[in-house]
Amino acid sequence: MLTGMKFERKDLTKAYDIPGYWDAYSSVSLADDGPHGAGAGIGHSTDETYRLPPAPAATMPALNRTLTDDLGGFLQATASSGPYRLNAGLRYDHNSVYGGTVNPRLSAIYRFAERGSIKALYGEAFQEPAPIQLWGGWQGRLANPDLDPEKVRTVELIAMYQTGRVLFDASVYRATYDNVLKEEAENAGERTIVGLELRPRFTLANPIADSPDITGHFYYTLTQARSSIRYDPELADWIDSETDLGDIAPSKIRAGLVVPIRDRGSVYLGSRYESAKKLYLRNPLRWQGEELDGWMVIDAAVNLHLDLATLRLRVNNLLDNDYFHSGVEAASSGNDVTQRSLGWMNSLVPQAGRNVQLTLSYNY
């Protein structure tokens, strides 16, 4: 049996203090709307002059600070009998802002062979609201001090078996999220993630004399993410309607090989692939019926061992492919460059082309 306790106290700044901008109070009166009615410190690129607002207060006012306490404890028990192993645990956490939460965990392992086992897992967990969501609001980001923790319940089945040079590792899972912490700093809706993961790893005889085995991996994930609510752009609001969440590629592949060269170094070659995917529910490009194209990149690296030093040359995106990731949070900017952006966060984020890293490390 294992048990433990936790106590943590934080002295946090709440709202951003940006003089003359969005409800900043330490140096500029809220009644001062500035030349354009957007705040005392807000100017325009066509203004002939700019009036600099006063600097913020030297110390953060007590009104804009908060003291939080986290108290927690857990109890875990493990029992084994022959090929069976049972693990059960219970954790309680209490936060002075959002209250308490109880989270159980249970796993059962059956070892059906010397190199094979099956594991069933049930667990619950919580994600506390970040301070930036509780108090850190500004014109481009909302905050809500009344947020509750997000809760997740997960069921997973894992199987592992090794034969010869190959280790098979596979799992299926289902995770359900309640009180989802959305980008508008509110708890709303449920999300359900169902997935399959295959993680085979293997070794190969190295044709280079006096060299360790070649090692390789091939990871594949299949994911379906659903939301109990969707965003209606015409109503500019969320409504109850089950739909794909978006921003999570249905299929992902990671593969790679490491070829050691005696004791002098190694060569790595790997690839990353993601299938086409729908964009997030709030992303304006999704309202236009657009999807994010699939992509694949190849990475390579060479390590050279020089006594106590190691020289590493890594080339990412070796073929210099153009590809994008979906934007973060609401990803609400849109793509109409003929008018002002619809939001603060880019709908798509371009990724780096071919880039090179040279690293020298020294052990002493």
Side-chain angles (χ1 to χ4, degrees):
M1 298 186 69
L2 183 66
T3 187
M5 295 187 66
K6 164 196 169 182
F7 176 76
E8 184 178 49
R9 171 166 288 178
K10 298 177 184 177
D11 186 357
L12 302 172
T13 298
K14 295 196 291 187
Y16 293 107
D17 188 19
I18 308 175
Y21 187 43
W22 183 253
D23 286 357
Y25 50 81
S26 69
S27 56
V28 180
S29 170
L30 295 178
D32 187 349
D33 291 333
H36 302 286
I42 304 302
H44 194 274
S45 59
T46 58
D47 292 344
E48 293 184 1
T49 61
Y50 176 70
R51 186 183 68 182
L52 188 69
T59 59
M60 184 58 60
L63 181 66
N64 196 38
R65 292 168 59 179
T66 185
L67 198 65
T68 67
D69 289 336
D70 284 289
L71 179 64
F74 73 92
L75 178 65
Q76 178 178 306
T78 301
S80 299
S81 177
Y84 300 97
R85 184 179 180 90
L86 185 67
N87 189 314
L90 188 68
R91 182 182 178 96
Y92 174 75
D93 291 272
H94 185 275
N95 179 273
S96 57
V97 176
Y98 56 75
T101 177
V102 178
N103 296 281
R105 178 184 176 89
L106 180 67
S107 66
I109 301 174
Y110 171 56
R111 190 167 183 174
F112 61 86
E114 182 179 356
R115 296 187 176 184
S117 62
I118 297 175
K119 180 178 181 179
L121 170 69
Y122 172 79
E124 297 183 10
F126 72 98
Q127 173 64 55
E128 65 181 23
I132 198 172
Q133 291 180 299
L134 291 170
W135 305 293
W138 54 290
Q139 191 172 10
R141 183 196 300 276
L142 299 178
N144 179 5
D146 298 323
L147 285 174
D148 293 323
E150 182 175 308
K151 189 73 178 278
V152 61
R153 297 172 177 84
T154 303
V155 178
E156 186 171 7
L157 183 65
I158 304 170
M160 299 180 68
Y161 183 73
Q162 183 169 355
T163 175
R165 291 179 172 270
V166 181
L167 172 63
F168 295 97
D169 183 356
S171 63
V172 292
Y173 67 89
R174 176 187 174 92
T176 302
Y177 297 80
D178 300 315
N179 275 344
V180 172
L181 292 167
K182 294 188 18 280
E183 62 274 8
E184 296 93 348
E186 64 181 19
N187 297 105
E190 299 177 357
R191 291 175 182 172
T192 302
I193 314 294
V194 178
L196 163 71
E197 296 185 358
L198 303 176
R199 300 175 293 270
R201 285 161 284 176
F202 57 90
T203 63
L204 299 171
N206 197 329
I208 302 175
D210 301 322
S211 298
D213 286 341
I214 297 171
T215 60
H217 68 269
F218 179 88
Y219 300 158
Y220 172 75
T221 65
L222 178 66
T223 311
Q224 181 188 63
R226 303 283 291 175
S227 172
S228 68
I229 58 175
R230 67 175 178 87
Y231 189 78
D232 188 323
E234 295 182 358
L235 299 176
D237 200 2
W238 294 85
I239 62 175
D240 291 331
S241 178
E242 185 174 332
T243 186
D244 290 333
L245 176 63
D247 271 6
I248 299 178
S251 294
K252 296 180 183 179
I253 295 175
R254 301 290 186 268
L257 280 177
V258 177
V259 182
I261 303 175
R262 296 179 179 165
D263 60 349
R264 305 308 298 173
S266 63
V267 176
Y268 168 79
L269 186 66
S271 65
R272 295 173 282 145
Y273 164 80
E274 291 192 12
S275 64
K277 63 183 178 182
K278 293 182 179 179
L279 295 166
Y280 178 57
L281 298 165
R282 189 73 182 273
N283 194 321
L285 304 189
R286 177 159 174 170
W287 314 338
Q288 300 168 198
E290 298 185 29
E291 287 191 351
L292 185 60
D293 294 336
W295 54 268
M296 184 180 76
V297 297
I298 296 176
D299 306 316
V302 177
N303 293 314
L304 180 62
H305 303 310
L306 305 169
D307 295 326
L308 297 179
T310 299
L311 184 65
R312 186 178 194 223
L313 175 65
R314 181 178 178 90
V315 182
N316 300 306
N317 194 359
L318 185 64
L319 302 181
D320 199 25
N321 292 339
D322 293 328
Y323 67 105
F324 291 82
H325 284 175
S326 47
V328 299
E329 298 185 15
S332 55
S333 67
N335 62 351
D336 187 351
V337 297
T338 64
Q339 60 180 1
R340 291 183 64 87
S341 171
L342 298 176
W344 293 89
M345 301 299 178
N346 286 349
S347 291
L348 297 177
V349 181
Q351 298 303 296
R354 183 188 301 114
N355 59 94
V356 179
Q357 297 175 346
L358 182 63
T359 304
L360 177 64
S361 59
Y362 182 77
N363 297 320
Y364 60 92

